[in-house]
Amino acid sequence: MRVWKFGDNIDTDAIIPGRFLIYNDPKELALHAFEGTRDEFAKKVSPGDIIVGGKNFGCGSSREHAPLAIIGSGVKYVIAESFARIFYRNSINTGLLPLVCTDASTIPDGAQLQLQLENNRFIVEGNNYRTEPVPDFLRTISEAGGLVPYARKLERVI
Amino acid sequence: MGRTIVEKIFSSHIGGDVHAGDVVMAPVDRVMIHDITGPLAIEKFHEMGAIKVFAKDRVVMLFDHQVPADSIPAATNQKNMRKFALEQGILNYDIREGVCHQVLVEKGFARPGEIIIGADSHTCMYGACGSFATGIGSTDMGFALKFGALYFRVPETIKIQGEGKFPDRVTPKDLILSIIGEIGADGATYKAVEFTGVAFSDMDMSGRMTCCNMAIEMGAKSGIVPPDSTTWRYIKERKPDIKEFSLSSDDDGIFCNSIEFDVSTLEPKVAVPHNVDNVVPVSKVAGTPVDQVFIGSCTNGRFEDFREAIEVLGNNSFSDKVRVIIIPSSKEEYLKTLRAGYIEKFVLAGALVEAPCCGPCMGGAFGLLAPGETSLSTSNRNFKGRQGSTEAMVYLCSASTAAASAIKGEITDPREI
Ligand code: SF4
């Protein structure tokens, strides 16, 4: 799994610029993921690659097109030092798993990363990293495959 | 144990005693969807197996980001949303009223003590009316449209105490920029921000909206000004039957942080590219040439902002080196500005005045920047590429600073005009 490394405060306009929000299909959005910020990403990303960010990943707008553009690229996990709130929720809801790792900034771009989800760990070039466990309630949603499959089974919630 | 205003709002909705950190499923009083995030929310609503929205009179729909439709996909999105509104019998203002947040507030859809969610990050603006309001994504919105409720983690609250009186030509925008500069772009992530103190109790509703609007720019879940006589007057002008009640944090409520700002020593501020928390006094960047000035958006596109700009403008004209774009945030604000004679003054001074919509703030519809261009904007985000090219520079400021800079053709301290 190749690492695509990004810095701090990667905002939703960087992930998917406003002019592409007319599209709702993850595959279509993926063609423009990080356009203008990192043009090689959309061309070279392979399914299974992992995005690693710094602080406040996904800050900015509530556009769910941001996690969808990432999912459409075949990326299933984003690891970052911290996430912006709406992006974090949107990711869990749409099936992209956001993992918090306080040492994420030390991971180099292009490295190979092996994820061991079951024990909140991953390995990069022989070094061990820990991720913070996903909060219980969100894990339920995540394990259901996102908020849509979770909600389909429910008649009422209050 | 005392409670903050936000804990009280959640407690009253749940019918229990909830505190920061609790995860709750709370009923929502109102939901808002617009042309960008709405289509996906409707898709998710259907995917969740829903047929009817939880309460048709609690959903507000409108189009503001790409209006009138600027592309065939945008027109198709709007067409599909119109159809959904008709099928469901929900209120759809379509393209008639303006920018979502301004419209929700001025139509009286945000009231003290309510929980309101919108599929847009600046929904936190309704905190100016004493509501707990927060922005969510489309899947959460699909869920809320189906169930009339959503899960929330009740946030801790940061108290911002504003003291003193604003000097001339220093505005609430300068204050909120200073606050963001101090707290940082992620300093309030997952938290609520409560704005109190005389600087806020003296502030008009427009200024309170500016401050609450930008709470998200420090990562906050919501911003809130405790409702007072100014709030209730504003609400009652719109909903005369509403009953007044008091709502504020307890003296022994627990705040995770408390920060004081003295506005009497504040200077006009600018957020420089490419982050909202890169805040400097305008003097530090004065003289930077600008290609475009935008006065508008949900942050600063109200009558009060245009009045500020007109005061600075006086008998001057805008520099012919600058494209000045002025967009009132709603029909109501447009008409007030028109009736005051300001629109004519702006046009004669060389500005382009557009009908209510998001405009260049959205970065897709129109008013985009070319590589290497610089824009000064009263909106809320200066991210790379937010208003067009990723090689353009966007600076954020108040309407006074925008007007002064549009006259000179370069970033200018409004106190020097
Ligand atoms: S004016 Fe700008 S910030 Fe406000 S809703 Fe429109 S795009 Fe969003």
Side-chain angles (χ1 to χ4, degrees):
Chain A
M1 294 167 152
R2 178 205 198 276
V3 168
W4 290 85
K5 181 70 184 297
F6 291 86
D8 290 342
N9 296 314
I10 295 298
D11 59 72
T12 50
D13 280 88
I15 301 171
I16 184 79
R19 59 190 179 281
F20 303 119
L21 302 185
I22 45 176
Y23 304 117
N24 298 316
D25 174 29
K27 286 269 170 260
E28 181 86 43
L29 290 165
L31 299 175
H32 306 288
F34 297 101
E35 192 167 312
T37 298
R38 194 152 175 197
D39 288 335
E40 45 157 4
F41 179 85
K43 288 185 207 108
K44 297 198 181 143
V45 65
S46 306
D49 285 355
I50 290 192
I51 289 176
V52 177
K55 288 197 192 75
N56 204 22
F57 191 93
C59 59
S61 104
S62 66
R63 60 186 71 162
E64 212 158 276
H65 309 71
L68 289 183
I70 293 175
I71 290 171
S73 315
V75 171
K76 291 202 180 72
Y77 306 97
V78 179
I79 297 171
E81 269 180 72
S82 65
F83 290 91
R85 184 187 63 83
I86 307 178
F87 180 86
Y88 187 83
R89 258 182 102 118
N90 285 348
S91 298
I92 296 274
N93 286 346
T94 51
L96 177 71
L97 194 60
L99 296 166
V100 176
C101 168
T102 44
D103 304 320
S105 64
T106 61
I107 301 168
D109 185 43
Q112 288 298 315
L113 188 152
Q114 289 161 294
L115 202 54
Q116 298 181 344
L117 275 184
E118 51 301 339
N119 41 25
N120 300 318
R121 232 163 64 110
F122 62 91
I123 302 167
V124 183
E125 296 173 347
N127 297 318
N128 280 304
Y129 290 84
R130 293 202 69 77
T131 61
E132 287 174 16
V134 175
D136 280 350
F137 178 66
L138 297 183
R139 208 175 50 231
T140 318
I141 294 172
S142 179
E143 281 167 1
L147 193 62
V148 170
Y150 176 84
R152 275 188 75 86
K153 293 181 284 187
L154 302 172
E155 278 302 313
R156 47 187 302 135
V157 294
I158 43 170
Chain B
M1 184 169 157
R3 290 175 302 176
T4 63
I5 188 167
V6 168
E7 290 169 326
K8 286 186 184 180
I9 293 176
F10 275 100
S11 298
S12 72
H13 280 73
I14 307 290
D17 193 13
V18 303
H19 288 277
D22 294 345
V23 175
V24 297
M25 186 64 79
V28 296
D29 295 292
R30 210 152 290 99
V31 308
M32 182 282 293
I33 51 176
H34 60 52
D35 51 330
I36 295 292
T37 52
L40 210 48
I42 293 169
E43 194 180 303
K44 298 296 163 190
F45 169 81
H46 289 308
E47 284 176 16
M48 286 174 193
I51 295 162
K52 281 273 162 207
V53 296
F54 71 105
K56 60 182 185 193
D57 54 347
R58 289 180 181 270
V59 184
V60 181
M61 177 191 287
L62 47 70
F63 310 148
D64 54 356
H65 280 63
Q66 291 175 303
V67 299
D70 59 355
S71 67
I72 295 166
T76 309
N77 282 340
Q78 292 173 22
K79 180 182 167 202
N80 293 339
M81 286 186 73
R82 263 179 214 119
K83 183 165 161 269
F84 182 77
L86 275 176
E87 283 165 7
Q88 297 283 337
I90 59 182
L91 175 60
N92 175 17
Y93 285 121
D94 212 286
I95 65 167
R96 292 184 301 274
E97 291 291 339
V99 179
C100 51
H101 308 308
Q102 182 61 27
V103 173
L104 268 271
V105 166
E106 75 186 18
K107 297 282 184 198
F109 284 130
R111 304 165 204 165
E114 290 188 334
I115 296 181
I116 307 177
I117 53 175
D120 189 284
S121 59
H122 293 100
T123 301
C124 50
M125 185 173 110
Y126 320 160
C129 297
S131 319
F132 175 87
T134 193
I136 57 165
S138 295
T139 303
D140 271 339
M141 183 51 81
F143 187 96
L145 285 170
K146 177 174 178 182
F147 297 112
L150 195 62
Y151 69 90
F152 296 90
R153 184 184 168 279
V154 179
E156 289 84 15
T157 300
I158 299 176
K159 188 200 249 177
I160 306 278
Q161 186 91 18
E163 297 300 345
K165 280 205 177 317
F166 283 96
D168 254 10
R169 297 208 169 153
V170 179
T171 71
K173 180 63 164 285
D174 302 304
L175 172 59
I176 189 66
L177 286 176
S178 314
I179 294 172
I180 296 166
E182 175 122 356
I183 293 187
D186 61 350
T189 303
Y190 296 107
K191 309 212 165 58
V193 176
E194 181 178 327
F195 298 107
T196 58
V198 358
F200 290 100
S201 54
D202 284 353
M203 201 181 279
D204 61 17
M205 287 299 285
S206 176
R208 295 179 186 189
M209 288 177 203
T210 303
C211 293
C212 289
N213 178 286
M214 291 192 75
I216 179 74
E217 306 312 332
M218 39 188 161
K221 192 164 188 168
S222 71
I224 191 163
V225 178
D228 60 8
S229 56
T230 305
T231 325
W232 286 109
R233 200 177 326 113
Y234 184 87
I235 308 272
K236 283 182 172 167
E237 278 165 22
R238 289 154 173 86
K239 299 281 167 193
D241 296 339
I242 195 164
K243 266 221 170 59
E244 209 173 310
F245 57 90
S246 61
L247 178 64
S248 59
S249 293
D250 292 329
D251 291 339
D252 60 346
I254 295 173
F255 294 91
C256 62
N257 196 358
S258 195
I259 306 174
E260 238 184 73
F261 284 83
D262 180 3
V263 305
S264 62
T265 56
L266 204 63
E267 290 178 70
K269 301 276 181 170
V270 177
V272 305
H274 295 285
N275 286 306
V276 187
D277 59 354
N278 285 343
V279 177
V280 300
V282 63
S283 52
K284 194 139 184 233
V285 285
T288 308
V290 290
D291 300 291
Q292 180 165 299
V293 170
F294 167 47
I295 309 181
S297 85
C298 52
T299 318
N300 288 102
R302 283 173 283 277
F303 172 75
E304 288 78 356
D305 300 301
F306 301 124
R307 187 175 57 199
E308 243 179 76
I310 285 287
E311 278 169 21
V312 174
L313 180 62
N315 293 323
N316 295 295
S317 287
F318 295 128
S319 161
D320 54 15
K321 285 185 268 169
V322 183
R323 314 183 290 267
V324 182
I325 302 173
I326 292 183
I327 313 185
S329 57
S330 71
K331 184 162 93 183
E332 188 177 314
E333 298 304 311
Y334 190 102
L335 288 172
K336 272 195 272 180
T337 311
L338 181 78
R339 288 176 186 140
Y342 297 168
I343 302 268
E344 185 172 351
K345 286 190 183 154
F346 284 137
V347 172
L348 290 174
L352 193 65
V353 182
E354 298 280 350
C357 67
C358 296
C361 180
M362 193 269 155
F366 59 83
L368 301 186
L369 301 169
E373 285 194 323
T374 296
S375 149
L376 194 62
S377 172
T378 66
S379 56
N380 46 33
R381 283 193 179 133
N382 59 351
F383 300 157
K384 232 182 199 177
R386 172 79 182 183
Q387 291 185 17
S389 168
T390 46
E391 289 157 55
M393 309 287 260
V394 180
Y395 292 74
L396 306 176
C397 66
S398 71
S400 296
T401 302
S405 308
I407 295 165
K408 292 281 192 189
E410 56 186 41
I411 297 179
T412 303
D413 189 324
R415 296 169 301 185
E416 284 168 14
I417 298 279

